[in-house]
Amino acid sequence: MFIEKQMELMSAMKQSNYELFDNDAEDAYDTLERIFSAFVEYANCVIRMQVMIPIWRNRYDGEELRDKVQDIDQARHVYHESAISSLKQLNRLCSIYGLSPYADIDTSDRYAVADFVGTWVSEIYEDGKSRKMDTSVAGKIPEYPLYCIRQKSE
């Protein structure tokens, strides 16, 4: 659902010759990269928090534990705010291009935005896992740095 909406938005932007971005395709795609990166950064922070806090509770005490938890919680809060702002911007872009909202949720509801990011990450992950990503690069010659190619050692 979200992947299709992203493709629809990019198609609408291209059809308008990126008019909203002063006909600058690079600016348009940079904007989309910033928006979608905000969702990734928030999800990464939430995952890191869920993994690290149990470890820290066993490893640290008192003020040291409190400082670690406060630091990561502050980072999570900042990334959450960024995800909220980015989703609002994405929904506005969809509206401007005559598309349905990217996520039809109340963006003032922090929990709804957090749930959206979780669902979005899950969809992106499942799409990559099912190898549908291959269709987005069909017909292009892959160029991988050598360090990305694993060789079977025997």
PDB file of all heavy atoms in Angstrom, residues 1 3-4 123-138:
ATOM      1  N   MET A   1       0.819  -1.192   0.000  1.00  0.00           N
ATOM      2  CA  MET A   1       0.000   0.000   0.000  1.00  0.00           C
ATOM      3  C   MET A   1       0.867   1.262   0.000  1.00  0.00           C
ATOM      4  O   MET A   1       0.703   2.119  -0.839  1.00  0.00           O
ATOM      5  CB  MET A   1      -0.930  -0.032   1.211  1.00  0.00           C
ATOM      6  CG  MET A   1      -1.661   1.264   1.441  1.00  0.00           C
ATOM      7  SD  MET A   1      -2.845   1.207   2.773  1.00  0.00           S
ATOM      8  CE  MET A   1      -1.870   1.765   4.139  1.00  0.00           C
ATOM      9  N   ILE A   3       4.128   1.537  -0.554  1.00  0.00           N
ATOM     10  CA  ILE A   3       5.073   1.549  -1.673  1.00  0.00           C
ATOM     11  C   ILE A   3       4.363   2.044  -2.927  1.00  0.00           C
ATOM     12  O   ILE A   3       4.901   2.866  -3.676  1.00  0.00           O
ATOM     13  CB  ILE A   3       5.687   0.150  -1.872  1.00  0.00           C
ATOM     14  CG1 ILE A   3       6.559  -0.191  -0.662  1.00  0.00           C
ATOM     15  CG2 ILE A   3       6.494   0.086  -3.164  1.00  0.00           C
ATOM     16  CD1 ILE A   3       6.985  -1.630  -0.566  1.00  0.00           C
ATOM     17  N   GLU A   4       3.136   1.569  -3.128  1.00  0.00           N
ATOM     18  CA  GLU A   4       2.358   2.016  -4.286  1.00  0.00           C
ATOM     19  C   GLU A   4       2.059   3.506  -4.197  1.00  0.00           C
ATOM     20  O   GLU A   4       2.128   4.228  -5.194  1.00  0.00           O
ATOM     21  CB  GLU A   4       1.050   1.224  -4.406  1.00  0.00           C
ATOM     22  CG  GLU A   4       1.245  -0.219  -4.815  1.00  0.00           C
ATOM     23  CD  GLU A   4       1.623  -1.153  -3.645  1.00  0.00           C
ATOM     24  OE1 GLU A   4       1.574  -0.722  -2.459  1.00  0.00           O
ATOM     25  OE2 GLU A   4       1.987  -2.302  -3.925  1.00  0.00           O
ATOM     26  N   GLU A 123       6.017  -3.125   6.059  1.00  0.00           N
ATOM     27  CA  GLU A 123       5.721  -3.267   4.631  1.00  0.00           C
ATOM     28  C   GLU A 123       6.993  -3.183   3.790  1.00  0.00           C
ATOM     29  O   GLU A 123       7.187  -3.984   2.873  1.00  0.00           O
ATOM     30  CB  GLU A 123       4.731  -2.208   4.163  1.00  0.00           C
ATOM     31  CG  GLU A 123       4.382  -2.346   2.695  1.00  0.00           C
ATOM     32  CD  GLU A 123       3.383  -1.313   2.201  1.00  0.00           C
ATOM     33  OE1 GLU A 123       2.436  -0.980   2.935  1.00  0.00           O
ATOM     34  OE2 GLU A 123       3.560  -0.856   1.049  1.00  0.00           O
ATOM     35  N   ILE A 124       7.845  -2.240   4.113  1.00  0.00           N
ATOM     36  CA  ILE A 124       9.096  -2.086   3.372  1.00  0.00           C
ATOM     37  C   ILE A 124       9.943  -3.350   3.530  1.00  0.00           C
ATOM     38  O   ILE A 124      10.499  -3.871   2.555  1.00  0.00           O
ATOM     39  CB  ILE A 124       9.886  -0.846   3.864  1.00  0.00           C
ATOM     40  CG1 ILE A 124       9.098   0.445   3.648  1.00  0.00           C
ATOM     41  CG2 ILE A 124      11.261  -0.779   3.206  1.00  0.00           C
ATOM     42  CD1 ILE A 124       8.772   0.777   2.218  1.00  0.00           C
ATOM     43  N   TYR A 125      10.021  -3.845   4.750  1.00  0.00           N
ATOM     44  CA  TYR A 125      10.815  -5.049   5.014  1.00  0.00           C
ATOM     45  C   TYR A 125      10.265  -6.245   4.248  1.00  0.00           C
ATOM     46  O   TYR A 125      11.001  -6.973   3.588  1.00  0.00           O
ATOM     47  CB  TYR A 125      10.838  -5.342   6.519  1.00  0.00           C
ATOM     48  CG  TYR A 125      11.640  -6.571   6.865  1.00  0.00           C
ATOM     49  CD1 TYR A 125      13.018  -6.501   7.002  1.00  0.00           C
ATOM     50  CD2 TYR A 125      11.019  -7.803   7.035  1.00  0.00           C
ATOM     51  CE1 TYR A 125      13.763  -7.626   7.306  1.00  0.00           C
ATOM     52  CE2 TYR A 125      11.764  -8.937   7.328  1.00  0.00           C
ATOM     53  CZ  TYR A 125      13.128  -8.849   7.472  1.00  0.00           C
ATOM     54  OH  TYR A 125      13.856  -9.960   7.754  1.00  0.00           O
ATOM     55  N   GLU A 126       8.950  -6.449   4.323  1.00  0.00           N
ATOM     56  CA  GLU A 126       8.325  -7.586   3.634  1.00  0.00           C
ATOM     57  C   GLU A 126       8.501  -7.473   2.124  1.00  0.00           C
ATOM     58  O   GLU A 126       8.709  -8.470   1.444  1.00  0.00           O
ATOM     59  CB  GLU A 126       6.842  -7.701   3.999  1.00  0.00           C
ATOM     60  CG  GLU A 126       6.608  -8.220   5.401  1.00  0.00           C
ATOM     61  CD  GLU A 126       7.192  -9.599   5.636  1.00  0.00           C
ATOM     62  OE1 GLU A 126       7.064 -10.487   4.751  1.00  0.00           O
ATOM     63  OE2 GLU A 126       7.796  -9.804   6.712  1.00  0.00           O
ATOM     64  N   ASP A 127       8.417  -6.253   1.609  1.00  0.00           N
ATOM     65  CA  ASP A 127       8.603  -6.052   0.175  1.00  0.00           C
ATOM     66  C   ASP A 127      10.019  -6.441  -0.241  1.00  0.00           C
ATOM     67  O   ASP A 127      10.209  -7.134  -1.243  1.00  0.00           O
ATOM     68  CB  ASP A 127       8.325  -4.599  -0.205  1.00  0.00           C
ATOM     69  CG  ASP A 127       8.391  -4.382  -1.697  1.00  0.00           C
ATOM     70  OD1 ASP A 127       7.516  -4.918  -2.413  1.00  0.00           O
ATOM     71  OD2 ASP A 127       9.330  -3.705  -2.158  1.00  0.00           O
ATOM     72  N   GLY A 128      10.995  -6.012   0.528  1.00  0.00           N
ATOM     73  CA  GLY A 128      12.375  -6.368   0.220  1.00  0.00           C
ATOM     74  C   GLY A 128      12.613  -7.861   0.359  1.00  0.00           C
ATOM     75  O   GLY A 128      13.321  -8.468  -0.445  1.00  0.00           O
ATOM     76  N   LYS A 129      12.006  -8.440   1.373  1.00  0.00           N
ATOM     77  CA  LYS A 129      12.164  -9.870   1.624  1.00  0.00           C
ATOM     78  C   LYS A 129      11.569 -10.706   0.503  1.00  0.00           C
ATOM     79  O   LYS A 129      12.096 -11.744   0.136  1.00  0.00           O
ATOM     80  CB  LYS A 129      11.495 -10.222   2.960  1.00  0.00           C
ATOM     81  CG  LYS A 129      11.847 -11.574   3.490  1.00  0.00           C
ATOM     82  CD  LYS A 129      11.340 -11.735   4.903  1.00  0.00           C
ATOM     83  CE  LYS A 129       9.972 -12.351   4.864  1.00  0.00           C
ATOM     84  NZ  LYS A 129       9.450 -12.665   6.179  1.00  0.00           N
ATOM     85  N   SER A 130      10.479 -10.222  -0.069  1.00  0.00           N
ATOM     86  CA  SER A 130       9.820 -10.972  -1.146  1.00  0.00           C
ATOM     87  C   SER A 130      10.480 -10.719  -2.495  1.00  0.00           C
ATOM     88  O   SER A 130      10.019 -11.210  -3.513  1.00  0.00           O
ATOM     89  CB  SER A 130       8.339 -10.600  -1.213  1.00  0.00           C
ATOM     90  OG  SER A 130       8.194  -9.265  -1.652  1.00  0.00           O
ATOM     91  N   ARG A 131      11.533  -9.920  -2.477  1.00  0.00           N
ATOM     92  CA  ARG A 131      12.330  -9.622  -3.665  1.00  0.00           C
ATOM     93  C   ARG A 131      11.568  -8.832  -4.728  1.00  0.00           C
ATOM     94  O   ARG A 131      11.934  -8.834  -5.879  1.00  0.00           O
ATOM     95  CB  ARG A 131      12.931 -10.881  -4.257  1.00  0.00           C
ATOM     96  CG  ARG A 131      13.749 -11.630  -3.235  1.00  0.00           C
ATOM     97  CD  ARG A 131      14.720 -12.558  -3.890  1.00  0.00           C
ATOM     98  NE  ARG A 131      15.373 -13.365  -2.885  1.00  0.00           N
ATOM     99  CZ  ARG A 131      16.525 -13.043  -2.313  1.00  0.00           C
ATOM    100  NH1 ARG A 131      17.129 -11.954  -2.623  1.00  0.00           N
ATOM    101  NH2 ARG A 131      17.063 -13.848  -1.422  1.00  0.00           N
ATOM    102  N   LYS A 132      10.510  -8.154  -4.319  1.00  0.00           N
ATOM    103  CA  LYS A 132       9.810  -7.281  -5.252  1.00  0.00           C
ATOM    104  C   LYS A 132      10.694  -6.115  -5.647  1.00  0.00           C
ATOM    105  O   LYS A 132      10.461  -5.475  -6.641  1.00  0.00           O
ATOM    106  CB  LYS A 132       8.513  -6.754  -4.633  1.00  0.00           C
ATOM    107  CG  LYS A 132       7.453  -7.804  -4.478  1.00  0.00           C
ATOM    108  CD  LYS A 132       6.204  -7.190  -3.896  1.00  0.00           C
ATOM    109  CE  LYS A 132       5.167  -8.243  -3.605  1.00  0.00           C
ATOM    110  NZ  LYS A 132       4.019  -7.699  -2.896  1.00  0.00           N
ATOM    111  N   MET A 133      11.701  -5.849  -4.845  1.00  0.00           N
ATOM    112  CA  MET A 133      12.606  -4.752  -5.146  1.00  0.00           C
ATOM    113  C   MET A 133      13.261  -4.955  -6.503  1.00  0.00           C
ATOM    114  O   MET A 133      13.601  -4.002  -7.192  1.00  0.00           O
ATOM    115  CB  MET A 133      13.670  -4.626  -4.061  1.00  0.00           C
ATOM    116  CG  MET A 133      14.599  -3.460  -4.249  1.00  0.00           C
ATOM    117  SD  MET A 133      13.751  -1.899  -4.392  1.00  0.00           S
ATOM    118  CE  MET A 133      14.129  -1.221  -2.817  1.00  0.00           C
ATOM    119  N   ASP A 134      13.414  -6.208  -6.919  1.00  0.00           N
ATOM    120  CA  ASP A 134      14.022  -6.490  -8.216  1.00  0.00           C
ATOM    121  C   ASP A 134      13.275  -5.791  -9.347  1.00  0.00           C
ATOM    122  O   ASP A 134      13.880  -5.366 -10.320  1.00  0.00           O
ATOM    123  CB  ASP A 134      14.058  -7.999  -8.484  1.00  0.00           C
ATOM    124  CG  ASP A 134      15.020  -8.723  -7.555  1.00  0.00           C
ATOM    125  OD1 ASP A 134      15.851  -8.041  -6.915  1.00  0.00           O
ATOM    126  OD2 ASP A 134      14.940  -9.951  -7.475  1.00  0.00           O
ATOM    127  N   THR A 135      11.957  -5.641  -9.216  1.00  0.00           N
ATOM    128  CA  THR A 135      11.185  -5.006 -10.285  1.00  0.00           C
ATOM    129  C   THR A 135      11.494  -3.521 -10.398  1.00  0.00           C
ATOM    130  O   THR A 135      11.373  -2.945 -11.465  1.00  0.00           O
ATOM    131  CB  THR A 135       9.669  -5.199 -10.078  1.00  0.00           C
ATOM    132  OG1 THR A 135       9.300  -4.606  -8.826  1.00  0.00           O
ATOM    133  CG2 THR A 135       9.288  -6.665 -10.104  1.00  0.00           C
ATOM    134  N   SER A 136      11.913  -2.907  -9.284  1.00  0.00           N
ATOM    135  CA  SER A 136      12.205  -1.475  -9.342  1.00  0.00           C
ATOM    136  C   SER A 136      13.533  -1.191 -10.018  1.00  0.00           C
ATOM    137  O   SER A 136      13.813  -0.064 -10.399  1.00  0.00           O
ATOM    138  CB  SER A 136      12.182  -0.863  -7.944  1.00  0.00           C
ATOM    139  OG  SER A 136      13.259  -1.340  -7.192  1.00  0.00           O
ATOM    140  N   VAL A 137      14.369  -2.213 -10.157  1.00  0.00           N
ATOM    141  CA  VAL A 137      15.656  -2.021 -10.814  1.00  0.00           C
ATOM    142  C   VAL A 137      15.773  -2.839 -12.095  1.00  0.00           C
ATOM    143  O   VAL A 137      16.849  -2.974 -12.659  1.00  0.00           O
ATOM    144  CB  VAL A 137      16.838  -2.351  -9.863  1.00  0.00           C
ATOM    145  CG1 VAL A 137      16.886  -1.377  -8.710  1.00  0.00           C
ATOM    146  CG2 VAL A 137      16.774  -3.767  -9.376  1.00  0.00           C
ATOM    147  N   ALA A 138      14.643  -3.366 -12.557  1.00  0.00           N
ATOM    148  CA  ALA A 138      14.649  -4.191 -13.768  1.00  0.00           C
ATOM    149  C   ALA A 138      15.211  -3.396 -14.942  1.00  0.00           C
ATOM    150  O   ALA A 138      14.887  -2.231 -15.132  1.00  0.00           O
ATOM    151  CB  ALA A 138      13.233  -4.666 -14.085  1.00  0.00           C
TER     152      ALA A 138
END
